[in-house]
Amino acid sequence: MNRAGSNQSPALRRLMTEYRMLVSQGAPDGMFTAGPISESDFFTWEALIMGPKDTPFEGGVFAAKLTFPSDYPLSPFKMKFEPPLFHPNVYADGNVCISILHAPGDDPTMYESASERWSPVQSVEKVILSVISMLAEPNLESGANIDCCKLYRDNKAEYERIVRQSVREQLGL
Amino acid sequence: MSGSHSSPTQSQSLNDDINALSVDELDRLTQNVLDETASTRPLLGETSPLSVLREEYERGSATFLKQIDYLREKGYTHFRRTRGDGDCFYRSLAFVWVESLMVSPDKAFEASKALSLLESSLDSLEAAGFQKLVYEDFYDALANLVRQIASPAADGSTLTLSALLAAFQDPETSNSIVVFLRLLTSATIRVDEDNYAPFLFHPEIGEPIPPREFCENFVEACGKEADHVQITALTKALNFSIQVAYLDGHGNDGTVNFVEFQIAPPEEGSPPSPVLLYRPGHYDILEKH
């Protein structure tokens, strides 16, 4: 063994490396922060995501819990917005439904085959960046919140109004 | 196999039940059965005589039996099972690769050659766009094992066959090695994509598929089986020739097709390349003792 800390599990080692890099380099354009909620549990993180510019989410900060399996990064982590977010690809309970958090062949909502999938080459940073582009551009082909999908398709102005409203409420305006 | 003791009515109703399931439900059921068999088996097993394999087919296909007898006539006596989890090709290949280094006459030389090959393979991984954090731990798992072939560990021991088997049965080490070989296979295809592109097809649909998509979905992802393209890429990356014996019930003459994945013409007097035993959807290791 030639590296420090190699008596730790591969999952823990990888999570520490990812955290170290996020802290030292920061996210692109400061779009999010992410890290373990407590020093004693590296397998539960919180991410704070800035609502992307030129979307109804702009101005909001959205908290999500990331839960890592013990065989990470062989298996993907789970991501849940707490409180839940009103978005076509977020379930009513806040869980995020996005192809990059599913291995190929593991298809809860039949993603297109070309969509990006989980494999050990993905990382927290890559997933959160995908989620940020998902906020800007929902994928109606693999909807998680059906009511929200319908609203987005039939009355986008109303969808955007509801989202902006919730951002304002969140900010206490 | 199923329902041999049940009355016609019972098996009829079982059939109806099965027919009532959607394709999805049926897939899940099949997958559950596969998962159960798969997860009770060691990731890589002890070597067993081919007669054990023959017994499994005694009440089944006559062609398979003939083919197993053919292998025995060719001098193959044993096989080593891997778990049927879709990673079996990479796991089998990694095992025979490290094993072949260990049993070579000048193992210290072969191990150091292999280590420098592994080190330089990191350049392809970089060139393919993988971040260091993505591959470093997986690389260490394989490199550490190869290093132990010649350099004694803290307790003064070098790698033995039983320690090698233990490493491949330990999920952390074993799966890390599988992931590293997947990344190496993917990088080999990605950096040489013009050469590989004409041979890349979607395994289920059969349509041509772009290299990046092929690698993401069918190489880098755990549990995705390997076919000719992946075998060609990986044997090339490791500069390691293997043969695959196709025990697939094809052909009536009972022979087994051996396909060579040859890197260079074999040197005079060098031992024959290790053989992986293919049965539809699965790879094990074939041995002569």
Side-chain angles (χ1 to χ4, degrees), chain B residues 21-33:
Chain B
L21 295 175
S22 70
V23 175
D24 267 7
E25 288 168 322
L26 209 57
D27 273 0
R28 223 170 303 135
L29 194 70
T30 324
Q31 197 54 50
N32 285 344
V33 174

Side-chain angles (χ1 to χ4, degrees), chain B residues 189-268:
Chain B
I189 296 172
R190 282 168 181 259
V191 299
D192 193 13
E193 62 170 36
D194 292 347
N195 275 324
Y196 285 95
F199 304 101
L200 302 181
F201 297 93
H202 191 292
E204 288 129 42
I205 312 169
E207 298 283 323
I209 176 171
R212 187 188 63 85
E213 204 179 307
F214 180 83
C215 288
E216 285 176 358
N217 286 285
F218 304 108
V219 186
E220 292 155 26
C222 304
K224 290 287 166 181
E225 280 164 24
D227 211 332
H228 279 235
V229 175
Q230 290 95 324
I231 302 177
T232 305
L234 184 54
T235 48
K236 181 164 176 273
L238 290 176
N239 192 25
F240 180 55
S241 302
I242 60 160
Q243 307 173 67
V244 177
Y246 287 86
L247 181 60
D248 52 10
H250 284 178
N252 299 321
D253 58 355
T255 60
V256 175
N257 194 15
F258 278 69
V259 175
E260 302 254 357
F261 292 86
Q262 193 123 223
I263 298 308
E267 285 170 37
E268 195 130 336

Side-chain angles (χ1 to χ4, degrees), chain A residues 47-131:
Chain A
L48 293 174
I49 296 175
M50 318 304 146
K53 279 202 178 91
D54 304 322
T55 75
F57 295 96
E58 184 170 353
V61 178
F62 307 95
K65 193 163 104 181
L66 316 183
T67 314
F68 296 89
S70 60
D71 65 347
Y72 181 78
L74 303 187
S75 304
F77 58 92
K78 288 193 171 59
M79 180 166 179
K80 184 179 186 182
F81 279 105
E82 291 182 345
L85 195 71
F86 187 65
H87 184 280
N89 303 110
V90 178
Y91 287 104
D93 67 358
N95 276 304
V96 177
C97 179
I98 187 169
S99 65
I100 195 173
L101 283 176
H102 292 276
D106 170 17
D107 276 316
T109 52
M110 295 293 170
Y111 305 110
E112 301 157 55
S113 72
S115 56
E116 207 171 6
R117 296 316 187 104
W118 180 261
S119 81
V121 310
Q122 306 294 6
S123 61
V124 173
E125 178 179 279
K126 286 188 183 169
V127 170
I128 295 183
L129 292 177
S130 291
V131 168

Side-chain angles (χ1 to χ4, degrees), chain B residues 145-174:
Chain B
L145 209 53
V146 173
R147 208 168 282 130
Q148 282 172 42
I149 293 176
S151 347
D155 63 358
S157 64
T158 51
L159 192 64
T160 59
L161 274 175
S162 65
L164 179 68
L165 180 60
F168 273 86
Q169 289 180 338
D170 167 55
E172 268 180 29
T173 310
S174 200

